[in-house]
Structures are given as C-alpha cells and as structure tokens.
Amino acid sequence: MVGNNTPIFFIRDPIKFPDFIHTQKRHPQTHLPDATMMWDFWSLVPESLHQVTILMSDRGIPDGYRHMHGYSSHSLKLVAADGSYKYVKWHFRTEQGIKNILPEDAERLAGSDPNYATRDLFNAIERGESPAWKVYIQVIEPEQALKYRFNPFDVTKVVSQKDFPLQEVGRMVLNRNPENYFAEVEQSAFCPSHMVPGIAPSPDRMLQGRLFSYADTHRHRLGANYHQIPINRPIGGVNNQQRDGAMAINGNGGSAPNYEPNSFGGPSQNNLAAQTHAKNFTVRGEVARHTYEVTDDDFAQVKDLYNLFTNEQKDRLARVIASTLSQTPVFIQKRQLKHFYRADKDYGRRVEAALKAAGSKI
C-alpha cells in the first residue's frame, strides 16, 4: 500500500502527480525551492487545501519516525476466498504516542542535526525499545461506498471514524536494524501493485495511477530486474516467464520454457479468479476520461479540521502559511486566500492578517 503519515493527499487526479512533485522540488532556472511554484499549483488545485492545512499546522512535522501514525490513505479491497470483498482503509497508530515539532525547532534541527529522525529510530531499536504500531482497518461495504456522502475513493477526503469505526486487526513491530543500509533500505522497492492474495485495488483514480508509476520509478532507479535484488525477492521464489534484461541474477529461468501454456512442467495459470481479485465487481457509470469538479464538499472537511484547532494553533497555522505564501505574486495570494475563506471565514481572516503582518501588499 501507499504509506503516508497523513490519511489524505494533495491531489486526486493521477495525471497531476508529476506536476505536483515538480512543484515540491527545485525551480528549473534557479535550482532552488520556490514558494511561487508551490502556491501557484495549490491555488489552482483547490482540493489540495485539506492536505495543505495538515502540512502547515502543528500536525505537519512529526518528531521522528516513531511518533507518527501511518495510513494507507487510499481505500483498498479485502477479498475473501469466495471472491466477495469489502473496501478498507488501513491505519497504523503509534504506541509511542504522537509527537510533533514546531517549524522553528524543525528549522534548527535541519541545520544542527539533519539526521535526527534516522538516528532516533536506529538507536531506539538498538536499545531494545522496538517501536510498534497497532493496526486497524475501517470496513466499508460496497453498497455503503456508493451511498456515502464523501467519495471513499477520493484520496483528498477522509472517511469518518464515527461512520466507520476503527477495528483492531494486528500489530506492527520494528525489531531489528538493517545490517547494511544500502542493501536493505536504499535498494528496497515498495510498490502498491505488489499485492498478496486477498488484497486488491479499489477504483481510487490516484491509486490506479500509482499502481504502475511506482514500478516505473523502480525500473528507472534500480534497473529492469529490481525484483531480483535480495531485499525485494520473495522468500518463496518467483515462477513466471520473465527473462533477460540488465542485471538478471537469478539464473534467468535456466532451460525452462519461457512461455505459457507449455507441455514441459513450467508454471501455469490456475484460473482461480477469486484468489486475488474480487469477482462480480460492479461498475456503474460511463467509461471515459472525466474531470473533477470542485464543490463545497472539497472544503467541508477542511472546515471541520480547522475548527479542531485551538486559537493559538490557528494563529500559528496562519503564520506558517503566510511565511511562504507572502513570497509569491499578489495575484497568487489572492487566489489562494479565496480558498481559505471558502473553507471557513475565520481561516481566511487569520491568513489575510498574517500575510499583511509578513509584509504582503494584498
């Protein structure tokens, strides 16, 4: 699954994925991080406001890896042996407690100890203080997904825990450090399309894009046979007809047939449709390339989140936003400010005041 420390994401249209990533990297001319790139994109993609609010709030910077929750963000399917299925969202809740860092402390750490989070995790495991997370799922029946107020396949939205309570299903523990960081961490290749039987993707459009984009990245970064690297190789081995390519290191199938079906004992298709994928999956609507329409629903959850904050947290949120938004052209500031006001008038007023305090001519 795609693992994030927030339950949502900035975009829901996978075609925008490369563009979003570009805005978070460096300007093509200056080779510097650029506030205008960032806010220009966000102001033109209003559904990003939910994630932007989390990012810029006190929740935005975790105090290391041990003190954050984890989320699948996307809905997935759990498929039973008979092919029936339910939609689920996965939650990994830290047993170490949530801790976050304020921006000024994060800025100081970035200069004095940029390896803070990695060191904290490594040393905790070495001390025998294995960090752990309780694992929960929210379960959504297919019929409920069709009728729910918010689209459960829109990764810019959460599914309320009041409507679909968390159900505890397990525990995840990190109980050893790698023997060699490059071999076991740097070369690892996680991808949401690497699914075990019983888990399948949902119609979430952003997830559908990630199913192939992550594997494409691994092929570019690690090579065509990245799945043969020991850390990525399944314990039980692989039985398929894939052959050749740079750095094929597993014997390349030997003299066995490289096609299926065959008459010489090679791996064969078992035709068990329900083994991994749901059967009788109902699809409704017209198949086409549909655009998204921004509606008030895209701001409703932002309002709910904003009003969970104290006045002090709201002021700090506004100041953090203004610290970079004030560096952009005024027309971008005005466009983004409309989104804050649409979510909550008090949100808009505080950000506008913070922009003026930061020297904006808005």
Side-chain angles (χ1 to χ4, degrees):
M1 68 184 69
V2 178
N4 281 325
N5 69 314
T6 63
I8 54 173
F9 197 59
F10 295 92
I11 55 175
R12 57 193 173 194
D13 185 350
I15 205 69
K16 291 188 174 77
F17 201 7
D19 300 295
F20 165 68
I21 297 301
H22 292 165
T23 71
Q24 305 302 299
K25 292 187 178 291
R26 295 175 181 271
H27 191 280
Q29 181 183 27
T30 66
H31 198 58
L32 295 170
D34 192 276
T36 296
M37 290 168 55
M38 187 169 65
W39 285 106
D40 187 32
F41 181 88
W42 285 340
S43 66
L44 292 168
V45 184
E47 63 266 29
S48 66
L49 185 57
H50 197 182
Q51 178 77 318
V52 168
T53 300
I54 293 178
L55 176 67
M56 301 290 178
S57 75
D58 288 0
R59 304 181 181 191
I61 309 175
D63 187 352
Y65 299 112
R66 295 185 299 133
H67 298 288
M68 64 170 74
H69 291 330
Y71 306 88
S72 65
S73 298
H74 299 291
S75 298
L76 296 165
K77 290 179 193 165
L78 284 186
V79 185
D82 63 359
S84 61
Y85 67 94
K86 302 179 189 297
Y87 294 114
V88 297
K89 283 184 176 283
W90 295 80
H91 298 249
F92 300 79
R93 300 181 71 85
T94 176
E95 295 182 9
Q96 291 70 239
I98 285 287
K99 290 184 183 178
N100 294 297
I101 303 176
L102 294 178
E104 53 268 28
D105 296 324
E107 186 174 7
R108 174 181 54 80
L109 278 171
S112 64
D113 189 5
N115 300 303
Y116 170 80
T118 301
R119 180 183 295 106
D120 174 73
L121 177 61
F122 185 92
N123 289 346
I125 295 173
E126 285 295 289
R127 293 192 303 266
E129 300 172 8
S130 299
W133 288 257
K134 287 184 178 177
V135 183
Y136 299 84
I137 56 174
Q138 289 176 284
V139 180
I140 309 167
E141 297 288 347
E143 298 77 17
Q144 293 175 306
L146 294 171
K147 300 174 183 177
Y148 191 53
R149 176 188 171 186
F150 297 106
N151 180 357
F153 312 124
D154 178 350
V155 75
T156 67
K157 309 284 193 304
V158 297
V159 171
S160 172
Q161 294 177 26
K162 294 179 181 178
D163 298 330
F164 299 94
L166 296 181
Q167 300 181 35
E168 187 172 350
V169 294
R171 190 168 183 255
M172 181 178 73
V173 181
L174 301 183
N175 59 9
R176 75 169 183 89
N177 281 311
E179 290 299 318
N180 183 281
Y181 187 89
F182 184 85
E184 298 179 55
V185 179
E186 192 67 25
Q187 289 193 121
S188 61
F190 293 94
C191 180
S193 59
H194 297 166
M195 292 184 177
V196 298
I199 299 180
S202 75
D204 183 324
R205 282 167 59 173
M206 192 67 195
L207 173 59
Q208 293 291 325
R210 281 173 155 156
L211 292 178
F212 66 84
S213 69
Y214 280 50
D216 281 353
T217 301
H218 299 325
R219 282 186 281 268
H220 171 75
R221 181 171 68 92
L222 298 169
N225 287 303
Y226 70 89
H227 55 284
Q228 295 181 22
I229 297 171
I231 193 63
N232 300 320
R233 192 170 59 218
I235 295 172
V238 174
N239 296 297
N240 58 31
Q241 284 75 40
Q242 184 166 324
R243 298 288 191 274
D244 308 336
M247 301 301 292
I249 58 173
N250 66 350
N252 204 36
S255 62
N258 61 354
Y259 58 91
E260 192 277 336
N262 66 75
S263 306
F264 304 99
S268 60
Q269 182 176 316
N270 60 23
N271 294 318
L272 298 178
Q275 187 180 28
T276 302
H277 304 291
K279 63 181 180 182
N280 302 326
F281 174 46
T282 301
V283 177
R284 300 181 185 179
E286 298 179 357
V287 177
R289 172 153 178 76
H290 298 284
T291 59
Y292 275 108
E293 179 183 355
V294 175
T295 69
D296 287 341
D297 277 352
D298 292 306
F299 301 89
Q301 293 190 359
V302 182
K303 181 182 181 71
D304 293 341
L305 173 63
Y306 176 76
N307 285 302
L308 292 176
F309 301 151
T310 66
N311 283 327
E312 181 183 3
Q313 290 170 333
K314 290 175 180 178
D315 284 339
R316 195 155 44 234
L317 167 64
R319 288 196 300 271
V320 172
I321 289 169
S323 67
T324 52
L325 183 55
S326 62
Q327 301 172 28
T328 70
V330 170
F331 77 90
I332 292 178
Q333 296 178 42
K334 289 182 177 179
R335 186 167 61 208
Q336 182 64 37
L337 197 58
K338 290 179 181 177
H339 303 324
F340 294 123
Y341 272 109
R342 186 170 178 181
D344 187 281
K345 288 184 172 58
D346 181 68
Y347 196 175
R349 283 193 293 267
R350 289 183 197 249
V351 173
E352 184 171 8
L355 283 170
K356 291 176 178 176
S360 169
K361 303 300 182 184
I362 194 169

